[in-house]
Amino acid sequence: MSDPMRPRASLRTAVVWEVLKDALDRRVKATGSDALDILDTGGGSGNFAVPAAKLGHRVTVVDPSPNALFALERRAAEATVADRVRGVQGDIHGLFDVVERGGYDAVLCHGVLEYVDDPAEGVRNAVDALRPSGAISLLAAGLGGAVLARALAGHFTEARHALNDPSGRWGDGDPVPRRFTAEQLTELLADAGVDVGAVHGVRVFADLVPGVLVDTEPGALDALLKLEAAAAELPAFHSVATQLHVLGEKRG
């Protein structure tokens, strides 16, 4: 994912960023503090951490990749928010070896659950890092989007395999270890003590539309962004989204 502020990349991030920004604004009002403590697990090079820091928040990014953390440091410096962004090497299973339990107003868990050995433990750790009534933003690969993409590419056997596979994989060559339905993600959060507020389908159309059309047709990018935003909250489109975004609040 790229910086949500960059127009072309916003096809992948716009819906999540707008929902996340609203959630952070609500936490600011609820806490009475202009600067929130945010934890971004698997935050990599700061696709969301740096924009959040630009809003004035303090962001800790936990990521296992030293290269990603180096890129994070560089990006934060370029955005003049280095004093509000801290990178720490680690992962969600060993989260409390590197960060404080119960120390954050909001936790981002984006693109993490697909790759961990135990998604339920990962969600529990993310929630345990929150203060009471803190917000959690969960983004994970959607099963239906992968099935649709394989079918539209003519790989019908792989599409059927993904549909029936417990992990939602289309075959041995699938680079994504695990995919989820909206119901699975909301259940993981509920079991970890979270009240789910909203579910959004992300990249419902963006991955299916030829890039050349978006890049060359006047007004196409803006129109597609508006279409993505309009479809994101409609449950009918959750089942075909490339990613699923779930927003919730830790029970007080």
Side-chain angles (χ1 to χ4, degrees), residues 206-236:
D207 291 353
L208 305 176
V209 176
V212 64
L213 188 155
V214 178
D215 291 333
T216 60
E217 189 73 21
L221 176 60
D222 186 57
L224 182 53
L225 282 169
K226 290 177 179 177
L227 177 61
E228 288 279 357
E233 291 192 53
L234 300 177

Side-chain angles (χ1 to χ4, degrees), residues 37-59:
D37 293 306
I38 300 173
L39 174 65
D40 189 353
T41 63
S45 59
N47 301 327
F48 288 93
V50 169
K54 285 182 178 180
L55 297 177
H57 304 305
R58 298 176 292 267
V59 188

Side-chain angles (χ1 to χ4, degrees), residues 112-138:
V112 172
L113 297 187
E114 299 94 321
Y115 300 98
V116 298
D117 294 332
D118 187 346
E121 181 191 355
V123 171
R124 285 195 301 271
N125 283 351
V127 174
D128 285 348
L130 283 169
R131 292 167 179 152
S133 301
I136 182 167
S137 174
L138 186 66

Side-chain angles (χ1 to χ4, degrees), residues 40-45 61-64 90 108-112:
D40 189 353
T41 63
S45 59
V61 176
V62 175
D63 197 279
L108 282 56
C109 185
H110 295 173
V112 172

Side-chain angles (χ1 to χ4, degrees), residues 33-185:
S33 172
D34 290 337
L36 301 176
D37 293 306
I38 300 173
L39 174 65
D40 189 353
T41 63
S45 59
N47 301 327
F48 288 93
V50 169
K54 285 182 178 180
L55 297 177
H57 304 305
R58 298 176 292 267
V59 188
T60 299
V61 176
V62 175
D63 197 279
S65 167
N67 290 336
L69 293 174
F70 178 76
L72 166 71
E73 184 178 349
R74 185 174 63 238
R75 179 182 283 186
E78 291 172 352
T80 65
V81 293
D83 59 326
R84 294 196 293 274
V85 177
R86 179 172 72 105
V88 182
Q89 190 171 2
D91 61 40
I92 199 157
H93 283 318
L95 189 60
F96 300 115
D97 293 335
V98 293
V99 302
E100 179 187 357
R101 189 183 298 268
Y104 297 90
D105 301 295
V107 171
L108 282 56
C109 185
H110 295 173
V112 172
L113 297 187
E114 299 94 321
Y115 300 98
V116 298
D117 294 332
D118 187 346
E121 181 191 355
V123 171
R124 285 195 301 271
N125 283 351
V127 174
D128 285 348
L130 283 169
R131 292 167 179 152
S133 301
I136 182 167
S137 174
L138 186 66
L139 182 68
L143 170 63
V147 173
L148 183 62
R150 299 316 288 175
L152 290 178
H155 303 299
F156 307 120
T157 300
E158 291 179 350
R160 182 165 57 85
H161 189 281
L163 196 59
N164 296 319
D165 183 70
S167 297
R169 304 183 77 233
W170 48 256
D172 292 339
D174 192 337
V176 179
R178 189 180 290 105
R179 294 184 179 87
F180 300 87
T181 64
E183 292 75 19
Q184 287 171 331
L185 292 177

